[in-house]
């Protein structure tokens, strides 16, 4: 549901172009996983997808835009979260994000970010993905407030930073051992994390005075 | 204080070997920053340090051990934290870690971890540094408990994961713009983060029941 194939079927007027786009996005991911950022070229992607370079450039102005779009195309599930409670939604978001990072394609976005920072190059490559995760959390919190859950707007951004940061630490600690990391382990780790942080998101929790001050 | 030069002076019996070690560690950092993980070799480090390869192998069995040792040698300040209060210590630890990650040498450890995960290779390279950060947090918390601050042992590991994770997110968002990131900005960001998470570390804060359950 909501994947590229369905999207292609929904564009009856131009199936061939949609099909080419899909092939290009798939080729881009494979090319990146095989060659890394430094070996990633529009040329290589076009060859792998079996299309002309100009077909790629019709849609993507440069390699970075193509790379981030291809990652996003494989991570549609990020926003598909609506369980009816803030806790449930946060657990679902966290599970999505941890699964995303334990997958080579998702992990590639983290690697791209780190490489971009290290080389001082443009970070537009990955802000697209980071923004999407942040927007998904924003939606979940806005919906909780609409339902009347006592969400504290003052702590939202920092709590989301802690949640996503802790998930990134978990992904770095586990590595890409997706087989060893069972679904139950992923869910349990996320539930634990959300239950730790949830009080900080709710209005009625105030930090106690620091005993040492 | 506590840096490699002082350590070298403290070994009066073998100043030459200590000096060579220092040169090798410095050369290793420079080599990594210039060539990245894939171009990093014992050969290159030895050449840059002006020593024979065998001198390097006398002390370091392989390139990964050398690389992590060289990063550690530049990050002595990690554990130098004792302000007298848990809040003060956590702020100091966080400031140390954020500064560490905003510096090319410190950021290199994050990059190494990500590269090791991506390539499925050994992660001993970076667990040394991660362990050191975790141990520093453990010491701070143990000292707080000794002083009688009501530290909750049940939440420690997860709160530290959130703290270090959020700091990593900040470093990725800021990039290595150390000049643009003033000391005041770093400290303010860390104070805000510690004040958010501190209640979760203290015994008397219990999560409230989830309103949606």
């Amino acid at each position: 549901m909501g994947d590229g194939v369905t999207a292609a079927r929904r564009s009856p007027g131009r199936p061939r172009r949609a099909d080419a786009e899909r092939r290009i996005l798939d080729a881009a991911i494979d090319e990146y996983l095989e060659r890394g950022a430094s070996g990633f070229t529009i040329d290589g992607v076009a060859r792998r997808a079996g299309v002309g370079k100009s077909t790629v450039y019709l849609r993507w102005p440069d390699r970075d835009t193509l790379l981030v779009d291809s990652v996003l195309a494989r991570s549609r599930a990020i926003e598909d979260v609506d369980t009816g409670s803030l806790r449930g939604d946060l657990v679902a978001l966290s599970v999505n994000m941890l699964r995303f990072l334990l997958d080579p394609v998702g992990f590639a976005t983290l690697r791209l970010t780190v490489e971009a920072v290290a080389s001082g190059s443009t970070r537009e490559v990955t802000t697209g993905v980071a923004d999407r995760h942040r927007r998904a959390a924003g939606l979940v919190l806005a919906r909780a407030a609409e339902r009347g859950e006592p969400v504290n707007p003052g702590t939202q951004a920092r709590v989301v930073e802690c949640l996503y940061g802790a998930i990134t630490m978990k992904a770095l600690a586990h590595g890409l051992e997706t087989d060893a990391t069972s679904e139950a382990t992923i869910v349990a780790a996320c539930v634990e994390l959300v239950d730790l942080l949830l009080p900080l998101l709710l209005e009625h929790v105030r930090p106690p005075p620091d005993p040492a001050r």
Side-chain angles (χ1 to χ4, degrees), chain A:
Chain A
M1 151 186 141
D3 65 4
V5 178
T6 318
R9 280 194 203 119
R10 273 192 206 128
S11 324
R14 17 184 266 196
R16 214 168 301 164
R17 178 177 295 186
D19 181 56
E21 282 195 5
R22 183 76 214 158
R23 283 215 314 278
I24 294 166
L25 290 170
D26 283 345
I29 286 282
D30 292 340
E31 193 75 1
Y32 176 72
L33 292 178
E34 212 175 289
R35 300 185 194 273
S38 59
F40 182 88
T41 61
I42 295 259
D43 235 2
V45 173
R47 224 177 1 248
R48 190 185 280 261
V51 302
K53 254 168 76 169
S54 56
T55 309
V56 180
Y57 279 115
L58 267 180
R59 172 82 177 72
W60 291 277
D62 54 58
R63 42 160 255 152
D64 288 355
T65 323
L66 171 57
L67 194 45
V68 76
D69 269 10
S70 65
V71 172
L72 285 174
R74 290 258 186 117
S75 51
R76 307 245 162 190
I78 293 175
E79 285 118 341
D80 285 354
V81 154
D82 191 0
T83 67
S85 80
L86 178 57
R87 180 173 180 269
D89 280 2
L90 289 175
V91 169
L93 271 185
S94 305
V95 168
N96 280 356
M97 196 194 175
L98 186 48
R99 257 203 228 110
F100 179 72
L101 286 178
L102 292 175
D103 179 87
V105 172
F107 192 80
T109 61
L110 182 60
R111 198 174 156 201
L112 273 169
T113 311
V114 169
E115 278 172 8
V117 171
S119 67
S121 75
T122 160
R123 260 168 301 149
E124 275 94 68
V125 192
T126 45
T127 36
V129 180
D131 283 353
R132 197 119 154 241
H133 282 289
R134 224 169 289 125
R135 221 165 30 233
L139 283 175
V140 156
L141 288 161
R143 228 166 30 225
E146 270 167 35
R147 272 192 309 262
E149 296 192 50
V151 174
N152 182 349
T155 58
Q156 287 189 21
R158 280 171 292 151
V159 173
V160 170
E161 192 176 46
C162 288
L163 183 65
Y164 285 174
I167 290 170
T168 306
M169 295 293 102
K170 284 185 197 300
L172 287 176
H174 284 262
L176 299 175
E177 308 154 74
T178 332
D179 292 340
T181 317
S182 75
E183 188 63 20
T185 314
I186 290 180
V187 172
C190 291
V191 166
E192 205 181 57
L193 193 57
V194 168
D195 281 343
L196 177 77
L197 292 173
L198 190 60
L200 300 180
L201 276 174
L202 302 177
E203 286 277 15
H204 53 284
V205 178
R206 297 261 168 254
D210 178 21
R213 256 189 292 192

